Amino acid sequence: MNLSHAYAAPPPVDKAERLLLEAVDLGVTLFDTAALYGFGANETLVGRVLKPYRSKIVLCSKGGMAGVMFEDGMKRVIDGRPEAIRRHCEDSLRRLQTETIDLYYLHRWDKRVPVEDSVGAMADLVQAGKVRAIGLSEVSAATLRRAHAVHPIAALQTEYSLWTRNAEIAVLDACREIGAAFVAFSPVARGFLTRTPPDVAALDANDIRRGMPRFHPEPYAANLRLLPAYQAIAEEVGCTPAQLALAWLLTRGEHVITIPGTSSIEHLRDNVGAATVTLAPEVVARLDALINRHTVAGDRYGAQSASEVDTETF
């Protein structure tokens, strides 16, 4: 997502290509994209650059939310109707230059459409050989179980990090119970749990964090007060703050997978290095006590985004 939209102006194409190739060289095998990212531009990039490595990687994409052209420009639209799911998948296959998507997610549950209908259409894609496995994004444990009754759900993707703990209410355990992977996006708290947390006053005009309450001036100032102690733990462990955030996530269960996003090769290498970090139980306990739902100020999403997801809230 970072290579096509969301946080700042996308990097030059040549830089984005180099980053993807560096990821392959570093041993990264799971790549996650979506029809929405750059309104198809990200899938086109991923498809072109990673085509020579297709047999060596797990390629994931998402449908059910995509760009639609209106008179006043392209806008994102959540559409979980079976015909939309089929159309999104065909478009993704073409852009990704592949015959099969390894893991295809419902990017958002369209609450106007029974989740069983959307997943039924995705199951048809599996039957047709266009998709190998089905995933869901930003849904509750109850919705996950409804979907799983229609077709096995291989993965559920939602935000999870030290400062976003909603998954701990129910879906983390529900995934374990049904044998699904839990895929944690924004694992370094949208850049907050790093050496250089974002300067909210300097965020790009189109940066999605501008609409997130935690990045509004007053809550953000309160959250910044958590960082000195957090960074001190990272120094004590002998890793970077981003690596500490990723290593913490990897203690949450064998079914937990993290997908950190970046547009920087330096940060990519840093993220990959988290796999070598081992945290003692005492360190995990200190992190849990320092950054959690009680100590973090501000909601995860604003009202509009919160209305579009189905995740449990505290």
Side-chain angles (χ1 to χ4, degrees), residues 26 242-244 246-247 250 258 269-278:
L26 289 171
Q243 289 173 341
L244 184 63
L246 294 170
L250 295 177
T258 69
R269 292 170 179 163
D270 188 40
N271 292 338
V272 170
T276 65
V277 177
T278 300

Side-chain angles (χ1 to χ4, degrees), residues 223-292:
N223 291 328
L224 284 174
R225 291 194 282 271
L226 299 171
L227 280 182
Y230 175 76
Q231 292 168 341
I233 294 174
E235 185 173 351
E236 176 186 321
V237 171
C239 66
T240 67
Q243 289 173 341
L244 184 63
L246 294 170
W248 175 85
L249 268 169
L250 295 177
T251 69
R252 311 317 279 181
E254 292 183 355
H255 64 311
V256 176
I257 298 169
T258 69
I259 49 169
T262 185
S263 58
S264 160
I265 287 181
E266 178 187 357
H267 293 164
L268 169 66
R269 292 170 179 163
D270 188 40
N271 292 338
V272 170
T276 65
V277 177
T278 300
L279 300 182
E282 178 267 338
V283 172
V284 174
R286 286 166 59 196
L287 290 169
D288 283 331
L290 177 65
I291 302 178
N292 57 64

Side-chain angles (χ1 to χ4, degrees), residues 13 24 47 52 56 80 107 159 182 190 213 220 238 258 297 301:
V13 172
V24 172
K56 301 177 181 179
H107 202 161
E159 185 174 356
F182 181 93
R190 301 187 186 273
Y220 194 66
T258 69
Y301 281 149

Side-chain angles (χ1 to χ4, degrees), residues 144-160:
L144 170 63
R145 290 192 173 95
R146 285 173 53 191
H148 189 66
V150 175
H151 186 279
I153 300 301
L156 184 147
Q157 181 175 143
T158 198
E159 185 174 356
Y160 187 32

